Amino acid sequence: MVKRRNWTRRELLRSSAAAAGTLVLSGAAGPLAFAQGSDEIRVGVVGCGGRGSGAAHNCVASSPGVKIVALADAFEDRLKRLKDQFKVPDDRCFVGLDAYKKLMALDDINLVILATPPGFRPKQLAEAIKQGKNVFMEKPVAVCPAGIKMVIEASKLASQKGLGIVAGTQRRHQHEYVETMKRVLDGAIGEIVSAQCYWNMGGLWVNERKPGQGDVDWQIRNWLYFTWLSGDHITEQHVHNIDVVNWAFGDVLPETIHGIGGRQYRTDPKYGNIFDHFGVEFTYPGDVRTISTCRQIEGTAGNVSERVVGTKGVTNCAGVIQGENAWRYRGPRSDPYVQEHTDLIKSIREGKPLNEGERIAGSTLCAIMGRESAYSRQQFKRSWFMNRCTLDLLPPDDLKLSDAKPVPPVAIPGQYELPGMGQRG
Amino acid sequence: MSSQANSVSGTKAGVAAAAAAMAGMAHAQGSGKIKVGLLGCGGRGNGALRHCLQADPDVEVIALADLFEDKVRRTRDRIMREEKFQDRIKVDDDHMFWGYDCHEKLARCEADLLCMATAPAFRGRQMMAAIKAGKHIFTEKPVATDVAGCREVIAASKLAESKGLAIVCGTQRRHEFSRLELMKRIHDGAIGDLVGGQCYWYGGGIWFRGAEPQMSELDWQCHNWYHFTWLSGDQICEQHIHNIDVLNWCFQGPPAKFMAVGGRQWRSSNEDQVRTAKAVCRKYTGSEENWEKFNGDIWDHIYAEFEYPNGARCLSFSGHSPGKGRNGEKIVGTKGTSDCNHNINGENAWRYEGKNVNGQQQEHIDLIKSIRAGKPLNEGVRIAESTLTAIGARIAAFTGQVITWDWLMKESKQSLVPSQADLMAGKPLYHPIATGRDPMV
């Protein structure tokens, strides 16, 4: 269990100085991705929107000796705020869809924050690992099975290269969740026989199309609403809760998926082609069936939570266990959005980099499978989806903001084709 | 539709029936003939009638009723040709009733037992009329499409209780020997405390009927009843209630709370259905301009969570569309699981090895036996509760809100079905398609 480090300003300064001193002695013994001659964490931010900016500040606040030194974004205007805040020079700010490559080519960067729309994540992660960078990446990490495979491969490579990967599923770094899960995995609620998870909420921001704006330009600025960019809201948001349930099962993934869903209320074309609700049944080994719902409809009842039921008790996964081994978390609480960076940087500095890549790929996969089951109203096995489903929504390498890209139709069962379904057998 | 001039109240039979009703007695216990009237001469009504005839050799059919005259006549003609039943079909011309008030005419005849199989919208008033007239009831499920209808059925069932009248409902799983044995064990703790469960009815779709030449617009709605929530209760109520009823059986009562999501893209864009809806629109409006109004308002999927009073959260998964079909139930306890049919897995593993029966037959046998034994079964409140369970989940989906059982029972003012006067006046009724954030009524 990682304890929160409550750095005072003075400690922070002292620690940085000490760290700098230590490194002179330890020299080349430091992990591969360290900038030469310093344990300073030099961060490049890829994707400078709301979440990227948040992550950059969280990262800096998390540990001493962290500096934001380069920025990349598809749009210059999105990059400006971080540029001013962290005084990043012009020649280290990159704009365009290939900006991430230029940023990752910089030798002095040893950590990248990936916070662009998730459709871009697999290729950006692969590039980061290729360039020897540690990675903090936002969830989800892909929107299609082709992307999932790329993330898994990059994560394996990261392990070989001794690089750290932490994903923005912050519950995995939130003390009350960590302590609860430790107990659940130790059998505090017995054998798991049922579980539920939800992300039911109202609406989110929308960027309406401006006159003359190209397809790709508009879709990236309004990325939540296009499956190829966000993975739909089940992937973009609900992955958090699905990830918690997977955690309770010891990160064993569901074997069978059956979902339904649709677009009943949020039907305006400005909302792209995603659904406004999903309900998915995930069946884990031993025929343990779980409930998952997510909804984005303004004015409806909210619920963002998880619940796991065992033969000996029940937990909300976040600090409360009821039943034979009743327990309540009473320890310290920290900001999990900061804690995930603290944990990553600590692990890098200790030379034991965390690698959450395959785990977050698994949870992202579950969300994608739920979506595709709901789009097609087909039930399928995870093994089928990974081995036979040929769905590939990865953006082409030469994608341009000016490219034409018609919005795909909203999925209708009987019309929506799940690529590879014909080979089902 | 043509209204029927004849009425049993002016006939000899009517006088006799009125006298019987006043005495508060239908056929009571003991042997002798049981006179049966059928209300609703569609496929299910015809099926139920045959099961009723097969249930007891002394059942005689004496009256038939339906909204449509041709269905009544066709039903009599067909069953008269069936050798094994023909000498027990004694339906005189003046015992054939049709029109929107056919249930009132039927209640005034001298039948002992009425089999009800019309669209569920009208069941509350049908049952109330029948119980007041002293009839035993076999009713198809569900028994309502709105909250008001459920309350009416509960009231009718309590009245039946006080009058010693039987009500059995077409949730045939409750009469299957294997499930009865299984449920006894579950209630005795064979799988421990109940902590979860699932039930499913997901199918490929259902007919969408066009309008026949002589039909009024309201007639067409009733003919195409499945597609209007006020008539069918939507698929979750009309079909999936079977599986929901099984979960309620496990928990020995209805859920405390509902949460649900759902929608209807497939029905809105289903080409065959849209073509028919456009033709109907042309017939009644002269153009295709407002065809969507004629395309039905039910959804094509609802994914609901039921939270039972003990805290267990269960999945209800229902709908129609191309894709994977499901039908069944599963219940999960702390010591095992069950398919709710004939298997228990876990600490007290068990498998039903006894005789299997056809539940749709057995329910009629049980009903008539109970009448003859003077211990009339009364499943009315239970089926009203299961119907309200389906309706509660539907309301949760239509409104996007968490719905509680208490609110349904005490506060909801939902009433979707037209008054008897509006029906007699032939007024069609269209509710807007639910948005997923409708107001709670």
Side-chain angles (χ1 to χ4, degrees), chain A residues 198 258 263 280-281 287, chain B residues 200 202 265 303 305 326 330:
Chain A
Y198 322 87
H258 195 191
R263 180 171 161 117
V280 182
E281 180 182 68
D287 194 31
Chain B
Y200 316 85
Y202 203 93
Q265 275 74 50
Y303 183 103
E305 179 184 81
R326 307 279 292 275
K330 184 183 173 189

Side-chain angles (χ1 to χ4, degrees), chain B residues 46 164 174 226:
Chain B
N46 272 275
R174 295 265 187 169
Y226 205 111

